[in-house]
Amino acid sequence: MSSLFDRLELISEHGCHGGVQRFYQHASGEIGLPMRFALFLPPQALAGQAVPLLSFLAGLTCSEETATMKAGAQRLAAQLGLALLMPDTSPRNTGVDSEDHHWDFGAGAGFYLDATQPPWSGHWCMESYLLKELLPAVVAEFRLDGARLGITGHSMGGHGALTLALRHPGVFRSVSALAPICAPTQCPWGHKAFTGYLGQDESTWVEHDASRLMAAQQTAPYPGGILIDQGLADQFLAEQLHPEAFEAACAQVGQPLTLRRHPGYDHGYYFISSFIDDHLRHHAQALTC
């Protein structure tokens, strides 16, 4: 058993499409506090196969429960033989009062980076938590295939999926996103988060901006392609998301990108549930070959 999960606590377990949906809590060394995650194991994993793992990173104000309960990903994941990991989006019960530090996102705004500025630097280490702690331990504990990892996410989680995939080459074989924050150095959400977590020096921000990271690539990092879906009725599209910036960066370096724009769809989970199957198939094509 991995050291991370010496005190792994099963919160609940539910039969789901021939597999099992579980919710766990564990003590995190990177965060320094208890953390929660959701894990769907398809029937193939229950039968002993080392299946690939797709991580779904949720957005602002969300938790490990949000996509697990609203996206409807388990049915097709069971057919495709994909395990699904839904981590929480930030530390909880930290003792830091966000209002005292002019922070209005509230719980669930980890931005999938390691904060360098107090008081956030004490516990807001989501990048290290995911890459160094949670993913390796989940793969080991549940005997998944660590060579076949994919990552996707929504909004802030889409930002996390794109930036983590670009910042950690070789870890993920496939990447996609739904309505991601593509250029956080250019939007109010990003400015607020980066100022709080990383400080006033904007040169440190670009390392967590997917469009800037992509533009700095020498060759296409994901030659099999990246999939992004974006609703055109999304109330955050013009001011916060900027998919056109990521599209331009991909074109600059020759990165294959499928960016689909959908009239009538907003930012919520009706949109996500409408297109999640395409994302599962995108990852399955890369992870099951």
Side-chain angles (χ1 to χ4, degrees):
M1 181 179 293
S2 66
S3 59
L4 168 63
F5 288 157
D6 286 345
R7 290 181 287 170
L8 181 65
E9 176 189 354
L10 177 64
I11 299 172
S12 65
E13 179 176 280
H14 315 274
C16 186
H17 295 290
V20 62
Q21 179 66 60
R22 294 173 179 163
F23 294 88
Y24 289 99
Q25 179 171 284
H26 70 97
S28 168
E30 292 290 339
I31 300 294
L33 293 166
M35 291 293 289
R36 295 189 176 201
F37 66 91
L39 179 68
F40 173 71
L41 295 174
Q44 297 88 338
L46 299 184
Q49 295 183 31
V51 302
L53 176 64
L54 174 62
S55 295
F56 186 108
L57 307 183
L60 291 167
T61 74
C62 295
S63 73
E64 77 284 356
E65 294 183 340
T66 312
T68 307
M69 295 182 176
K70 292 183 176 182
Q74 292 92 338
R75 178 192 58 81
L76 186 57
Q79 296 178 21
L80 296 173
L82 292 176
L84 302 175
L85 174 65
M86 281 81 160
D88 201 354
T89 54
S90 71
R92 308 283 174 171
N93 302 315
T94 63
V96 176
D97 188 341
S98 62
E99 293 182 0
D100 289 344
H101 300 277
H102 310 289
W103 190 252
D104 60 8
F105 287 149
F111 266 81
Y112 303 103
L113 51 75
D114 290 351
T116 61
Q117 303 300 304
W120 316 111
S121 53
H123 297 296
W124 274 258
C125 304
M126 289 300 296
E127 182 172 7
S128 291
Y129 168 65
L130 292 172
L131 272 294
K132 297 179 182 179
E133 192 172 32
L134 184 62
L135 273 171
V138 166
V139 166
E141 175 68 17
F142 299 99
R143 299 178 181 176
L144 306 176
D145 189 342
R148 295 189 292 163
L149 303 179
I151 191 166
T152 188
H154 169 236
S155 191
M156 179 187 74
H159 144 79
L162 295 174
T163 57
L164 294 180
L166 291 170
R167 284 172 56 80
H168 299 274
V171 173
F172 301 102
R173 190 183 292 186
S174 57
V175 59
S176 72
L178 295 116
I181 303 171
C182 289
T185 60
Q186 301 178 36
C187 75
W189 282 345
H191 275 246
K192 182 176 285 290
F194 288 175
T195 300
Y197 290 147
L198 303 175
Q200 298 287 342
D201 182 0
E202 296 188 15
S203 67
T204 65
W205 297 6
V206 299
E207 293 301 317
H208 301 278
D209 183 306
S211 297
R212 300 287 292 273
L213 288 169
M214 180 60 76
Q217 302 295 311
Q218 299 301 311
T219 59
Y222 290 91
I226 295 173
L227 172 63
I228 293 178
D229 280 297
Q230 175 62 60
L232 292 181
D234 190 321
Q235 64 270 41
F236 303 115
L237 175 57
E239 186 176 23
Q240 303 284 11
L241 304 182
H242 298 299
E244 71 284 350
F246 190 73
E247 185 177 39
C250 287
Q252 176 182 322
V253 302
Q255 168 61 52
L257 171 69
T258 300
L259 172 54
R260 307 190 303 184
R261 296 173 168 91
H262 304 282
Y265 286 91
D266 61 21
H267 197 68
Y269 270 81
Y270 294 113
F271 158 67
I272 294 170
S273 64
S274 297
F275 299 104
I276 191 65
D277 282 4
D278 292 341
H279 287 255
L280 293 172
R281 293 189 181 97
H282 167 81
H283 289 278
Q285 183 175 6
L287 298 177
T288 59
C289 59

